[in-house]
Amino acid sequence: MSDSSGAPPVAPPVARTVLQQCLRATLQVKPAEQLSEAEFVQIDRGMVIYVCFFKGATDDILPKMVSTLLNLRLCESDSGKMLSVLDLPGSLLIVPQATLGGKAKGKGMQYHNNIGKEDGLRLYSSFVSLCEKELMTAAAAAAEAEVTVKHGTYGNRQVLKLDTNGPYTHLMEF
Amino acid sequence: MSDSSGAPPVAPPVARTVLQQCLRATLQVKPAEQLSEAEFVQIDRGMVIYVCFFKGATDDILPKMVSTLLNLRLCESDSGKMLSVLDLPGSLLIVPQATLGGKAKGKGMQYHNNIGKEDGLRLYSSFVSLCEKELMTAAAAAAEAEVTVKHGTYGNRQVLKLDTNGPYTHLMEF
């Protein structure tokens, strides 16, 4: 993000995430085919993470990313207090979202800064695994069996339904 | 946004928007009270614009913002071609979203860079009016009577339901 503080320029981000809290979110993970219906995953209360990796992203950033996103107070408790998804505790729906890397050129969008498909898939899979590990550890500690991590299929169309009590949309770059 | 091209540093953005295309979106514009039910607005196919103004934003940026957002190819046609919301043509749901200005400090989020409430309301209202004007002109030209601009109430909780065929989430800063 831009910085007008006079500090030395910060390295460009290698990952962009958009966060929205939800009451329920449903995502298609397999489109309908001739002989099979579409498949969906669903979470109830928690947070949707849209994620896009840029060129230059490596596994090194993942632990900090996951720790930051899961511990930041981005969700609202029943009493109106801001809590992290781990403290809520809530579920996670992780949505690969290559469009987040778009830059306008004329009337079109370009995605030249996005990471290649193979590296992107690997980072995305590791990101999901790390989120699962962190959330499950927190849920076990809170004796909260209901929380879960669901995620979209990398490279597919992300058919999404979202029901919120106010999405509280946040942007976080890493 | 960050720039690693060696070009001179760009001024920090004064507005941040997140765009999601939708099949249907419903937003509460008046919460339920003792004697009245909650009120909602709804659009069918089109684009949701989450918008946040930062300190230093003035009316000067609005025409470019609106023209860019409404003419950029951020939506998908039935045939899978990327089109602008004006070309689709689709409807707009504009959602004031102060959380988009958040910066992490420790585990909390701070919103110190957000514009003051009075200026924010004025810019938001003008932004909505300009969007209405541009969309209605385009709709008239296309003889498309079905498109509409709906928007949330500035300062309220933005209770939102979203139904997509893939949100194609984009970030645009101005």
Side-chain angles (χ1 to χ4, degrees), chain A residues 1-2 13 16 20 50 73 76 97 99-100 107 111 157-158 160 162 164-170, chain B residues 1-2 13 16 20 50 73 76 97 99-100 107 111 157-158 160-162 164-170:
Chain A
M1 274 178 282
S2 301
R16 178 172 293 156
Q20 294 187 313
Y50 306 88
R73 294 194 285 265
E76 192 193 25
Q97 193 81 150
T99 47
L100 273 179
K107 290 188 173 188
Y111 304 92
R157 173 189 291 268
Q158 305 299 320
L160 175 76
L162 189 64
T164 82
N165 194 28
Y168 289 12
T169 313
H170 284 95
Chain B
M1 276 176 282
S2 301
R16 179 172 291 156
Q20 294 187 311
Y50 307 89
R73 294 194 284 265
E76 192 192 26
Q97 193 81 150
T99 48
L100 273 179
K107 291 188 173 189
Y111 303 92
R157 174 188 292 267
Q158 304 300 319
L160 176 75
K161 277 191 198 201
L162 189 65
T164 82
N165 195 27
Y168 289 12
T169 313
H170 285 94

Side-chain angles (χ1 to χ4, degrees), chain B residues 98-149:
Chain B
T99 48
L100 273 179
K103 285 188 179 181
K105 170 142 189 186
K107 291 188 173 189
M109 296 300 292
Q110 294 186 332
Y111 303 92
H112 297 327
N113 200 31
N114 281 20
I115 200 164
K117 200 155 182 177
E118 201 173 309
D119 285 337
L121 171 57
R122 187 177 46 79
L123 286 169
Y124 175 71
S125 304
S126 300
F127 178 77
V128 168
S129 298
L130 278 174
C131 285
E132 281 170 343
K133 203 173 148 195
E134 279 234 27
L135 192 74
M136 289 311 138
T137 306
E144 173 60 75
E146 296 297 310
V147 305
T148 178
V149 175

Side-chain angles (χ1 to χ4, degrees), chain A residues 53-101:
Chain A
F53 292 101
F54 300 148
K55 280 176 186 159
T58 62
D59 291 272
D60 299 351
I61 60 157
L62 297 178
K64 191 196 161 187
M65 252 181 99
V66 171
S67 168
T68 300
L69 294 176
L70 272 52
N71 284 291
L72 267 178
R73 294 194 285 265
L74 301 169
C75 301
E76 192 193 25
S77 74
D78 289 330
S79 61
K81 200 179 159 191
M82 294 304 284
L83 290 181
S84 73
V85 70
L86 290 184
D87 286 337
L88 202 56
S91 294
L92 284 178
L93 179 66
I94 305 168
V95 183
Q97 193 81 150
T99 47
L100 273 179

Side-chain angles (χ1 to χ4, degrees), chain B residues 53-130:
Chain B
F53 293 101
F54 299 148
K55 280 175 185 157
T58 63
D59 291 89
D60 298 351
I61 60 157
L62 296 178
K64 193 197 160 187
M65 250 182 101
V66 171
S67 168
T68 301
L69 294 176
L70 271 52
N71 284 292
L72 266 179
R73 294 194 284 265
L74 301 168
C75 302
E76 192 192 26
S77 75
D78 288 331
S79 61
K81 202 180 159 191
M82 294 307 284
L83 290 181
S84 73
V85 70
L86 291 183
D87 286 337
L88 203 54
S91 294
L92 284 179
L93 178 65
I94 305 169
V95 183
Q97 193 81 150
T99 48
L100 273 179
K103 285 188 179 181
K105 170 142 189 186
K107 291 188 173 189
M109 296 300 292
Q110 294 186 332
Y111 303 92
H112 297 327
N113 200 31
N114 281 20
I115 200 164
K117 200 155 182 177
E118 201 173 309
D119 285 337
L121 171 57
R122 187 177 46 79
L123 286 169
Y124 175 71
S125 304
S126 300
F127 178 77
V128 168
S129 298
L130 278 174

Side-chain angles (χ1 to χ4, degrees), chain B residues 40-51:
Chain B
F40 296 86
V41 291
Q42 183 173 299
I43 65 165
D44 291 321
R45 193 167 182 203
M47 188 166 75
V48 180
I49 303 181
Y50 307 89
V51 60

Side-chain angles (χ1 to χ4, degrees), chain A residues 94-117:
Chain A
I94 305 168
V95 183
Q97 193 81 150
T99 47
L100 273 179
K103 286 188 179 182
K105 170 143 188 184
K107 290 188 173 188
M109 297 299 293
Q110 293 187 332
Y111 304 92
H112 297 327
N113 200 33
N114 282 19
I115 200 164
K117 200 155 182 177

